[in-house]
Amino acid sequence: MSVANEPAGYTGTQILLHWTIAVLIVLQLVIGEDIKPAYRAFSRGTEPAAGDVFNANIHVYVGLAVLALAIWRIAARLRDGVPAPPPEESVLLKRIGAAAHFLLYLFIFGMPITGALAWYFSFRAMGDIHDLAKPVIIVVVGLHAAGALWQHFIVKSDVLARMLRPAGRRAR
């Protein structure tokens, strides 16, 4: 069922935020280990190497950027709405999609928060959670991408296409 002002697609802002956050998360997964030497040094009360501090700062600042962009993304979602799943999609696929998005948002917010708590407040347990979540977010992001590609190439829906180009609103 469609609502009269339900968006036909995502706005340009929503698309930009989606892809910017995606690129930053992949960057974090690639360079994330670079924070560990500085974190270990600080934990031991020793002075980390300048290069280690630089690498750690990059990881921390990119993580905080992900958090800020995620907050903006939620605000845009609340303001602009999101398109409904394709009407021909099964209830099971709709539930899987909703669960996947819930997990993505959980990680998009949870990873920067646990990382910041570990880094700025030395909450070791948060650092452990942050580390343990890394392989899980890799799987969730991979499943999200695979699901979008499956929708596009196998199901032939517009799910991927609407995250590639902005769409207007349906008539009111």
Side-chain angles (χ1 to χ4, degrees), residues 18-86:
H18 174 274
W19 292 108
T20 302
I21 291 169
V23 167
L24 292 177
I25 288 172
V26 170
L27 177 67
Q28 289 293 72
L29 293 171
V30 171
I31 68 166
E33 298 300 312
D34 291 348
I35 196 171
K36 288 186 177 183
Y39 186 77
R40 278 193 296 273
F42 285 132
S43 296
R44 289 187 213 125
T46 60
E47 190 67 30
D52 292 340
V53 172
F54 176 80
N55 292 337
N57 283 334
I58 295 294
H59 185 75
V60 170
Y61 297 146
V62 170
L64 293 174
V66 167
L67 181 59
L69 293 171
I71 291 168
W72 184 7
R73 183 168 177 182
I74 290 293
R77 183 182 181 95
L78 292 172
R79 182 189 66 226
D80 300 321
V82 295

Side-chain angles (χ1 to χ4, degrees), residues 151-163:
Q151 283 275 1
H152 184 74
F153 291 109
I154 306 301
V155 177
K156 308 266 189 233
S157 75
D158 69 342
V159 169
L160 178 61
R162 55 189 188 185
M163 191 45 82

Side-chain angles (χ1 to χ4, degrees), residues 79-135:
R79 182 189 66 226
D80 300 321
V82 295
E88 68 277 2
E89 192 171 86
S90 72
V91 172
L92 178 62
L93 281 180
K94 288 176 185 174
R95 287 186 180 157
I96 290 170
H101 282 99
F102 172 80
L103 286 173
L104 284 168
Y105 278 109
L106 179 71
F107 283 102
I108 289 169
F109 282 94
M111 293 293 284
I113 291 169
T114 57
L117 289 171
W119 183 253
Y120 290 114
F121 300 103
S122 300
F123 289 153
R124 186 174 187 88
M126 292 295 108
D128 293 342
I129 290 169
H130 188 79
D131 277 348
L132 290 171
K134 181 180 177 180

